[in-house]
């Protein structure tokens, strides 16, 4: 599974392994991208103004302790990987921990007169999926807080058991809360969904740990089983892709092991910032990308890229350029050509930065 870097001055890729253990994986990644990790964490207003002050309060300790123990016990290797990231980058472990449990902690930070709460901007990624007689494509906008611009990288990791995976990674976080693929024919992209606070289970499994586990899935069935047994604190939407059998599943999850699976077929399926088929109480959102996407053409891969590059709504475009949310890149997985392409910039321009073989 080779790759070609078509724009070397942008997104950086780092290949490591075979690694002897999880700590070494984290250490090498942390060491390599120490500058990006330091820069991201020092300028992240949510970490600096909300998460860190909260973590110093006595009332926060039960939540942080429970989160730590639950995730360390279920995923000891990934816990050690986090420790490696911290040691390799020279960043305090607490900062790395808080960044990786961001979604599981923020809903429980109280708002007081002396402690105003800044809103966490949902990373409202958008995906358009289809499996028809003429094409099988998953195209995905990776949207995030503008603070992530310049603070992402690609890692290709070889494990001692023969598994290799490639993952688009946020600085200081486990691979990958965005998208990735492995040498077992499994790929995925992720979409945020906004459950109400009452739907969130305190101190359960973090989403970053679940998606890290997907990178080692041996099949799409194994990936689905890993999601199903995750006991996650916060819900998520997973686009699971079998690069060998031409299958795509959209999997919506919620706490308490609730799950709904939708097999993608010939009708193009657009997923953004809301639950579509799992019945869950979800937080209201000021904009509906679904409505805009429903009005756009979806007949070809070029149509998909045009949809993901749409900026016709100045306030709430599908392709985002700030001031709060930013489309970091677009990933296009073509199951017939068996390639994953990363586009930086508006996908309508088709300026490819990387092309990975999936065969």
């Amino acid at each position: 599974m080779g790759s070609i870097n078509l724009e070397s001055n942008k997104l950086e890729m780092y290949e490591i392994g075979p690694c002897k253990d999880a700590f070494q994986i984290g250490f090498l990644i942390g060491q390599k991208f120490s500058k990006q990790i330091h820069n991201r964490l020092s300028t992240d207003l949510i970490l600096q103004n909300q998460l860190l002050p909260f973590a110093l309060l006595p009332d926060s300790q039960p939540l942080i302790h429970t989160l730590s123990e639950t995730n360390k016990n279920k995923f000891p290797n990934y816990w050690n990987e986090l420790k490696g990231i911290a040691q390799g980058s020279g960043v305090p472990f607490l900062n790395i921990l808080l960044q990786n449990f961001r979604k599981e902690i923020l809903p429980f930070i109280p708002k007081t007169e002396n402690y105003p709460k800044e809103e966490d901007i949902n990373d409202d990624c958008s995906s358009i999926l289809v499996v028809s007689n003429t094409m099988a494509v998953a195209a995905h906008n990776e949207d995030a807080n503008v603070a992530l611009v310049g603070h992402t990288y690609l890692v290709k990791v070889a494990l001692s058991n023969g598994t290799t995976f490639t993952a688009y990674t946020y600085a200081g976080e486990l691979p990958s809360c965005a998208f990735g693929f492995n040498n077992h024919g499994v790929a995925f992209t992720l979409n945020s969904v906004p459950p109400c606070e009452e739907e969130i289970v305190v101190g359960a499994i973090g989403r970053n740990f679940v998606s890290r586990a997907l990178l080692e899935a041996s099949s799409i069935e194994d990936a689905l089983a890993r999601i199903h047994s995750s006991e996650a604190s916060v819900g998520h939407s997973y686009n699971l892709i079998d690069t060998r059998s031409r299958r795509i599943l959209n999997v919506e999850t919620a706490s308490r092991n609730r799950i709904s699976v939708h097999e993608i077929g010939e009708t193009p399926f657009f997923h953004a910032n809301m639950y579509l088929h799992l019945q869950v109480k979800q937080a209201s959102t000021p904009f509906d990308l679904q409505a805009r996407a429903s009005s756009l053409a979806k007949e070809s891969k070029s149509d998909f890229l045009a949809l993901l590059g749409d900026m016709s709504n100045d306030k709430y475009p599908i392709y985002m350029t700030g001031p709060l949310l930013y489309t970091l890149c677009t990933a296009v997985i073509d199951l017939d050509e068996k390639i994953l392409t990363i586009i930086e910039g508006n996908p309508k321009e088709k300026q490819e930065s990387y092309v990975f073989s999936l065969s």
Side-chain angles (χ1 to χ4, degrees):
M1 295 190 295
S3 68
I4 304 171
N5 182 358
L6 302 174
E7 203 165 343
S8 59
N9 63 333
K10 286 197 173 183
L11 186 63
E12 187 173 357
M13 180 168 171
Y14 181 45
E15 297 190 27
I16 58 174
C19 296
K20 63 180 181 180
D21 55 33
F23 180 87
Q24 185 184 37
I25 295 172
F27 183 88
L28 292 174
I29 293 173
Q31 186 178 59
K32 171 66 176 176
F33 295 107
S34 175
K35 182 178 179 180
Q36 290 95 321
I37 295 171
H38 275 271
N39 286 347
R40 181 200 173 187
L41 272 58
S42 65
T43 59
D44 189 312
L45 295 180
I46 293 170
L47 175 66
Q48 297 297 329
N49 296 343
Q50 292 188 59
L51 292 169
L52 280 170
F54 175 68
L56 298 178
L57 298 175
D59 289 349
S60 73
Q61 297 312 301
L63 171 60
I64 294 175
H65 175 76
T66 303
L67 270 173
S68 299
E69 290 301 307
T70 301
N71 286 269
K72 179 168 60 176
N73 289 338
K74 187 173 181 69
F75 296 111
N77 286 342
Y78 306 152
W79 185 263
N80 288 334
E81 198 169 312
L82 277 186
K83 286 188 171 182
I85 292 171
Q87 187 165 326
S89 64
V91 169
F93 181 64
L94 176 62
N95 296 32
I96 296 294
L97 186 71
L98 294 174
Q99 197 69 286
N100 279 268
F101 286 140
R102 183 187 194 101
K103 296 292 184 180
E104 290 73 28
I105 294 175
L106 278 172
F108 302 104
I109 297 180
K111 182 178 181 180
T112 67
E113 184 177 347
N114 297 323
Y115 186 47
K117 181 177 178 180
E118 298 174 40
E119 291 299 324
D120 183 26
I121 304 300
N122 282 325
D123 42 344
D124 296 306
C125 301
S126 301
S127 300
I128 179 74
L129 318 165
V130 71
V131 178
S132 69
N133 291 333
T134 56
M135 65 175 180
V137 171
H140 171 85
N141 275 0
E142 185 60 32
D143 304 324
N145 189 295
V146 71
L148 264 296
V149 176
H151 298 134
T152 63
Y153 40 79
L154 289 163
V155 294
K156 181 177 181 180
V157 179
L159 305 179
S160 58
N161 64 4
T163 296
T164 63
F165 64 78
T166 301
Y168 184 90
T169 306
Y170 290 8
E173 298 191 33
L174 290 170
S176 162
C177 64
F179 58 87
F181 66 93
N182 67 22
N183 63 333
H184 302 304
V186 178
F188 64 84
T189 70
L190 306 174
N191 297 84
S192 176
V193 285
C196 292
E197 289 188 14
E198 64 195 76
E199 295 282 358
I200 302 171
V201 172
V202 177
I205 297 299
R207 295 191 305 181
N208 279 14
F209 284 75
V210 179
S211 53
R212 173 63 183 84
L214 294 183
L215 289 169
E216 298 185 42
S218 59
S219 65
I220 195 171
E221 291 79 14
D222 181 34
L224 193 58
R226 289 171 186 244
I227 293 171
H228 208 294
S229 64
S230 62
E231 301 174 343
S233 171
V234 183
H236 215 25
S237 174
Y238 302 85
N239 300 312
L240 297 182
I241 301 155
D242 188 328
T243 66
R244 295 174 179 172
S245 68
R246 211 172 177 266
R247 288 182 72 200
I248 303 176
L249 306 176
N250 175 254
V251 183
E252 292 183 341
T253 69
S255 57
R256 297 182 284 278
N257 278 353
R258 288 168 292 170
I259 186 169
S260 176
V261 181
H262 173 73
E263 179 113 22
I264 304 304
E266 62 182 14
T267 301
F269 181 84
F270 179 82
H271 200 293
N273 56 311
M274 60 194 299
Y275 284 99
L276 296 181
H277 47 92
L278 180 62
Q279 299 305 306
V280 173
K281 291 182 181 179
Q282 53 187 322
S284 61
T285 178
F287 56 103
D288 184 1
L289 299 183
Q290 300 287 149
R292 175 56 187 160
S294 67
S295 69
L296 299 173
K298 307 174 194 68
E299 299 298 321
S300 66
K301 190 194 298 188
S302 293
D303 286 345
F304 282 16
L305 296 179
L307 183 155
L308 293 178
D310 182 72
M311 302 178 69
S312 58
N313 186 321
D314 292 337
K315 193 173 183 181
Y316 302 121
I318 294 178
Y319 181 79
M320 303 175 180
T321 57
L324 296 176
L325 288 171
Y326 197 93
T327 300
L328 301 172
C329 69
T330 300
V332 183
I333 300 173
D334 189 315
L335 298 184
D336 294 324
E337 295 184 7
K338 294 194 180 298
I339 57 172
L340 183 153
T341 303
I342 296 177
I343 299 171
E344 294 181 274
N346 193 304
K348 291 193 292 187
E349 306 300 325
K350 303 178 183 178
Q351 296 296 314
E352 301 170 347
S353 295
Y354 284 89
V355 177
F356 294 94
S357 170
L358 300 176
S359 58

